[in-house]
Amino acid sequence: MRAVVHRQARWKSGKNKTGMDPTMVSSCIDPKLVFAWQTAHSLARYSPPPVHDRGGFRVDTHSEKEVKRWVFPKLCDGLRGLARDIALPRHYLKLCGSNEELRGALPPRWEIQPENYFMQATATAGEPSALPEGYRMEVHQVGQVTRVQIVAPNGDFAANGSAAETVDAFVYDRIETAPNHRRKGLGIAVMRALAAARKSSISPQLLVATEDGRSLYARLGWTVIAPFATATIPDMGF
């Protein structure tokens, strides 16, 4: 499956640090690619599979922090209708689009979260990375899900991450390095260890990155294919 991205932008001078025009007013990514990502992402988190709902994809997580989430490939009436109907916290609306784009579709009670980035690998991960002296890696694979953890010399958590593979996508999730173990190549080591578990050489490799993570993945040959905006209603003591 190949990403198909169309963008309409109103150009002004310069681009932001993601390489995208900061005044982008709309973006549309192939819905099949988004559904493939969401399916594998749910698998990695042991969540229920996504279902089609109102032009997007809904996951009924029913976790302590989240009741439901919707992911929309583009702005549509279904997203706007949900935003009007939902009045309680712990429901999340996600859009393959900018924060400004999502903000313009929501009532004031919704709060925009820090913008993330939908990314796809455009190069191979490379050979497994050597760890700094004293660090060790643990790899656990159960079915279609692989989890990697790096342990520091003193036994503390240093870095981890997971990946899930379906017939349509290989998705990386929750790649994290502890603050006092950063700048040692541990995030790259986790990514390459996860990539080694990939069985298909043709399915797309996908992830959603934070601003901090985006630069790491760019060094590994990843490209931003769409901004990824999130909104929720603040919990005011419900």
Side-chain angles (χ1 to χ4, degrees):
M1 183 183 301
R2 185 177 62 183
V4 178
V5 183
H6 305 283
R7 295 194 180 106
Q8 297 175 344
R10 181 180 304 129
W11 293 97
K12 294 183 181 179
S13 58
K15 293 184 178 181
N16 63 19
K17 56 188 172 183
T18 69
M20 297 180 299
D21 178 41
T23 63
M24 186 189 301
V25 295
S26 68
S27 68
C28 181
I29 190 169
D30 185 351
K32 293 180 181 179
L33 193 75
V34 179
F35 187 75
W37 167 79
Q38 183 65 82
T39 300
H41 179 270
S42 292
L43 187 64
R45 298 195 178 191
Y46 301 113
S47 299
V51 297
H52 293 260
D53 185 20
R54 308 195 202 193
F57 313 119
R58 189 189 79 242
V59 178
D60 299 324
T61 45
H62 294 298
S63 67
E64 185 176 329
K65 296 182 178 180
E66 180 182 80
V67 176
K68 297 180 182 181
R69 67 168 61 194
W70 286 262
V71 179
F72 289 86
K74 62 180 180 179
L75 278 179
C76 62
D77 290 341
L79 186 156
R80 296 183 181 91
L82 279 168
R84 291 192 300 268
D85 294 343
I86 296 172
L88 296 177
R90 298 172 55 216
H91 294 75
Y92 287 79
L93 298 179
K94 297 175 179 284
L95 173 69
C96 295
S98 68
N99 280 359
E100 292 79 9
E101 200 175 354
L102 183 57
R103 174 73 274 170
L106 304 178
R109 64 178 175 272
W110 288 86
E111 183 177 275
I112 300 295
Q113 307 297 297
E115 192 169 64
N116 291 335
Y117 306 94
F118 200 164
M119 303 186 74
Q120 181 170 0
T122 54
T124 58
E127 296 297 321
S129 302
L131 296 177
E133 184 176 356
Y135 288 79
R136 60 184 172 86
M137 179 182 291
E138 300 174 354
V139 180
H140 305 279
Q141 188 161 11
V142 179
Q144 298 161 279
V145 179
T146 303
R147 302 195 186 281
V148 171
Q149 178 172 292
I150 297 177
V151 181
N154 63 356
D156 288 349
F157 155 78
N160 66 6
S162 61
E165 185 168 24
T166 67
V167 296
D168 294 319
F170 188 90
V171 168
Y172 300 78
D173 186 45
R174 288 178 170 169
I175 312 299
E176 180 183 7
T177 302
N180 56 334
H181 296 281
R182 292 175 182 169
R183 301 187 181 279
K184 297 181 180 182
L186 301 184
I188 292 175
V190 168
M191 290 290 290
R192 288 179 172 168
L194 291 170
R198 182 175 174 233
K199 297 177 181 178
S200 171
S201 61
I202 60 173
S203 59
Q205 298 182 79
L206 305 167
L207 59 78
V208 169
T210 63
E211 178 60 48
D212 288 340
R214 184 191 62 81
S215 57
L216 164 66
Y217 306 130
R219 293 200 303 272
L220 292 175
W222 289 70
T223 300
V224 174
I225 56 177
F228 194 78
T230 298
T232 189
I233 298 173
D235 191 339
M236 306 299 289
F238 288 92

